[in-house]
Amino acid sequence: MTDDDFIDLRSDTVTRPSEAMREAAATAEVGDDVYRDDPTVNELERRAADAVGTEAALYVPSGTMANQIAVRVHTDPGQELLLDRESHLYRWELAGAATLSGVQTRLVDAGARCVPSADRVRSETVTEDLHRPGTGLLALENTHNYRGGTAVPADRIAAAAEAAHESEIPVHLDGARVFNAAVALGVDASDIVAPVDSVAFCLSKGLGAPVGSILAGEAAFIEEARRVRKLFGGGMRQAGIIAAPGLLALESVDRLADDHANAERLAAGLDAIAGVDAPEPDTNIVVADTEAADIAAADLVAACEDAGVGCVEFDTHTTRFTTHRDVDAADIDAAVDRVAAVVGDL
């Protein structure tokens, strides 16, 4: 099977830069970003801050780095980080909060809400005393990756943030796909971000840039974040060549609706396969459960790869499929046919 035949639904990070992005990279005006001399990076940071309604923003290599910088800046070593047990920051960031910032995690099960309720935030908040660390940060996520790309309504974010702020606890939003949430909910990203103290979002997922994420917040926070970025090895030099595609990515928010429509089409097709349960998604992530077919996710992923469909194991019987701009409706239909054949053979 050739690369052209492979339908890659592993993640929206697999998108290839468009010709316009390649041209922008090739012709970008550059300078040394550590010295703040790169005009393209400076413009990207300005426009990124405007896009989410914050005072300032910082361009970083990855979403994980953006989240971990936020944890480091908001907390002191020995404090607690309060977050959902299924959050990306906890599940897939290599214990970065403990390793890089010296904080321990306090997990809550937010369930289908995806973020803890205001009452839950209040009940889980810990005041520092002789025996216990104090809660130093609440981290939320929108969209929620593990919980199926759920678009969390802005009022839920606001309620949790308000409860944390009552105890003077800052709030960070892992908004890797916050623009997907905004499109799905029919609101501006700034409406989702307004109640929190910082937000991270990816340019390299549905927005289609080849590399990079943004950390945004108040100007003083970003100044400290810039220093921590350097500490974490994220200081970049002539980064305009990768920031220029990011500027184009910020112009592609509206087309995320196409990914959502393709995800709905994919979920409907998968759900029609005997033994597969694929609920209608909010955004561009489809989670298929094959427990009824007695098919382990690991086996499904391996067989799908052989059949020319990329997907990833989420849990014992759940598999994630993610739509993006490099797949169209015809690809979705072909993927469903291939998965149906795989399920029939397993």
Side-chain angles (χ1 to χ4, degrees):
M1 180 172 296
T2 67
D3 288 344
D4 290 341
D5 294 326
F6 190 76
I7 304 168
D8 199 343
L9 300 172
R10 290 174 299 167
S11 176
D12 43 9
T13 61
V14 303
T15 56
R16 307 292 178 88
S18 65
E19 288 304 315
M21 287 183 175
R22 293 176 186 272
E23 177 65 19
T27 59
E29 187 178 358
V30 300
D32 190 320
D33 182 47
V34 171
Y35 292 118
R36 307 191 189 190
D37 289 342
D38 192 304
T40 306
V41 173
N42 294 341
E43 177 66 8
L44 173 62
E45 291 175 344
R46 184 190 66 77
R47 287 176 51 188
D50 287 346
V52 291
T54 61
E55 289 183 349
L58 181 69
Y59 184 46
V60 300
S62 72
T64 293
M65 180 177 282
N67 283 336
Q68 294 303 327
I69 290 173
V71 173
R72 177 75 178 226
V73 175
H74 283 307
T75 64
D76 295 323
Q79 289 186 314
E80 279 192 342
L81 167 62
L82 183 65
L83 73 175
D84 175 47
R85 64 179 295 172
E86 305 296 356
S87 63
H88 189 283
L89 211 154
Y90 176 71
R91 287 182 66 99
W92 290 301
E93 296 190 12
L94 293 171
T99 304
L100 300 172
S101 298
V103 300
Q104 73 176 18
T105 51
R106 172 180 287 273
L107 302 180
V108 298
D109 188 351
R113 287 180 56 88
C114 297
V115 300
S117 67
D119 287 342
R120 190 67 186 274
V121 171
R122 294 186 186 101
S123 67
E124 295 292 346
T125 296
V126 176
T127 301
E128 179 182 358
D129 61 24
L130 181 62
H131 304 287
R132 305 182 74 183
T135 304
L137 177 65
L138 170 66
L140 308 175
E141 185 172 337
N142 197 15
T143 64
H144 199 297
N145 181 9
Y146 183 80
R147 298 189 187 278
T150 300
V152 184
D155 60 350
R156 291 187 189 174
I157 300 291
E162 181 180 355
H165 288 155
E166 289 171 3
S167 299
E168 299 184 347
I169 296 168
V171 182
H172 173 67
L173 177 64
D174 176 0
R177 297 182 176 91
V178 71
F179 291 103
N180 289 89
V183 168
L185 296 169
V187 301
D188 289 335
S190 59
D191 294 332
I192 297 171
V193 172
V196 304
D197 300 284
S198 60
V199 60
F201 66 86
C202 291
L203 300 169
S204 57
K205 290 189 168 72
L207 299 182
V211 63
S213 288
I214 295 291
L215 178 62
E218 293 184 350
F221 169 82
I222 293 300
E223 281 303 302
E224 181 59 23
R226 190 177 298 275
R227 183 174 181 275
V228 175
R229 182 187 69 172
K230 186 70 162 60
L231 174 67
F232 286 178
M236 297 178 285
R237 302 302 179 178
Q238 289 71 40
I241 59 172
I242 52 173
L247 285 166
L248 294 181
L250 286 175
E251 298 174 0
S252 64
V253 171
D254 290 345
R255 63 144 305 280
L256 294 174
D258 296 337
D259 296 342
H260 299 175
N262 281 331
E264 290 180 12
R265 187 183 189 98
L266 175 62
L270 294 177
D271 195 62
I273 301 171
V276 178
D277 178 23
E280 181 178 346
D282 283 354
T283 55
N284 68 323
I285 292 175
V286 175
V287 178
D289 189 308
T290 50
E291 185 172 10
D294 195 26
I295 298 174
D299 295 335
L300 179 66
V301 169
C304 282
E305 183 175 3
D306 290 341
V309 177
C311 48
V312 295
E313 178 184 357
F314 244 27
D315 215 326
T316 305
H317 292 100
T318 53
T319 302
R320 187 187 77 172
F321 300 80
T322 306
T323 58
H324 49 82
R325 72 174 191 190
D326 287 358
V327 294
D328 58 21
D331 294 320
I332 297 302
D333 292 343
V336 169
D337 289 343
R338 295 178 190 183
V339 175
V342 163
V343 171
D345 291 340
L346 287 176

